[in-house]
Every structure is written in C-alpha cells, then in structure tokens.
Amino acid sequence: MKRILATIVLATVLVTGLSALSLDQLRSLAIENSNTLNSASLAVELQVLDQDAVKYDLYPSITTQLRSGLTYPGVGADSTLGLDASLGVTLTQPIYQGGTYAIDKQTAAVETALSVVERDSTRLDVLLAVDTLYLELLEAIENIHNVFWATKNR
C-alpha cells in the first residue's frame, strides 16, 4: 500500500512538473545553461579572433633593446669602475615569406569552420540528451499510470 501511495505521489509531482515546462522550454534552458556549449561558442569566438590576427603577420614589427653593464675595478692600479650601456631599435618588414601567410590564412579559416561544426555538433548533442530524457520521463509517467490503473482495477 505504501508503495502505491509513493507511486501516486511521484506521478503527481512528475505530471505537475511537466505541465510547467514544455519540451521547447526545456531545450531552451538546456542550451542556455550548457557549459559544454558555452565553451564551444567561446572556442568559435577565439578562432575568429585568431583568423583576424593572421593578417598582422604582414605588418612591420619594431623591437627595442636596452642593455647596461657595470664593470668592477680589477687588481691593477689603472682599473676603474665602468658603466656600459647600449640601446638598439630594429624594424622588420616581411617582404616574402615563401607562402606561409597564405597557408596560415587558409589554416585559420579551416580551424574556424571546424570549431563552428564542433559547436553545432555540441548543440545537437545537448538537444538530443534533453529529448531523450524527456521521452524517458514521459515513458516513466505512463508506466506509473499503468501500474496505478492496474492496481485500481483489481
């Protein structure tokens, strides 16, 4: 008797819980709250930024250098304390890189497309999991109802 009562209570809770949220609402909640999907979306954004960064390989680069040193006096009579410093600036302009820019650009585009496909695949996996769990829950509720009606009709 306690088992039947627990089943009825569980069925009531499940039915009222399902009436509050539809399958579409559950899917929306799952998409909004999926950490895996959020990570995949961030990976797409990162790949887009990487793809934009490839063009900066063609721009000139400037490097600066500052060196300083201190020499201590030696044992000899004419040894003195010395200070040594140097400053350097280097400007590098890529002229020909043997096609590496074109290859880097194509690679970045392919990696961006791959991350978009992975994000979409992750989204479909999340939706499939929600649909599967929803259908399993409906099946469990139906089984509970069948058990309830079978025991009532005895």
Side-chain angles (χ1 to χ4, degrees):
M1 184 68 172
K2 288 182 182 180
R3 193 177 219 180
I4 293 174
L5 185 59
T7 305
I8 292 171
V9 171
L10 179 62
T12 305
V13 169
L14 291 176
V15 169
T16 58
L18 279 179
S19 65
L21 292 174
S22 68
L23 178 60
D24 290 334
Q25 290 170 329
L26 289 173
R27 293 172 110 204
S28 296
L29 283 172
I31 288 173
E32 290 172 11
N33 297 311
S34 172
N35 290 333
T36 308
L37 187 57
N38 291 337
S39 295
S41 296
L42 290 175
V44 169
E45 291 177 22
L46 182 63
Q47 286 300 327
V48 168
L49 291 174
D50 284 347
Q51 188 175 0
D52 290 342
V54 169
K55 66 183 173 188
Y56 295 112
D57 289 343
L58 292 178
Y59 293 169
S61 64
I62 297 175
T63 307
T64 59
Q65 238 179 358
L66 174 64
R67 289 188 217 186
S68 63
L70 184 63
T71 56
Y72 291 100
V75 180
D78 60 345
S79 297
T80 59
L81 181 66
L83 182 62
D84 186 20
S86 66
L87 175 66
V89 177
T90 306
L91 174 66
T92 306
Q93 172 64 53
I95 297 173
Y96 177 70
Q97 297 176 338
T100 57
Y101 172 73
I103 291 171
D104 290 345
K105 189 175 177 182
Q106 289 174 351
T107 302
V110 168
E111 287 175 351
T112 301
L114 180 63
S115 65
V116 168
V117 168
E118 288 175 356
R119 181 202 57 204
D120 294 344
S121 174
T122 303
R123 183 179 184 278
L124 291 175
D125 288 343
V126 168
L127 293 177
L128 178 64
V130 169
D131 291 351
T132 302
L133 290 174
Y134 188 81
L135 291 175
E136 288 175 1
L137 185 59
L138 289 177
E139 185 179 331
I141 290 172
E142 184 179 343
N143 289 339
I144 290 170
H145 284 294
N146 291 341
V147 169
F148 174 74
W149 288 110
T151 56
K152 187 177 178 182
N153 291 334
R154 281 188 185 178

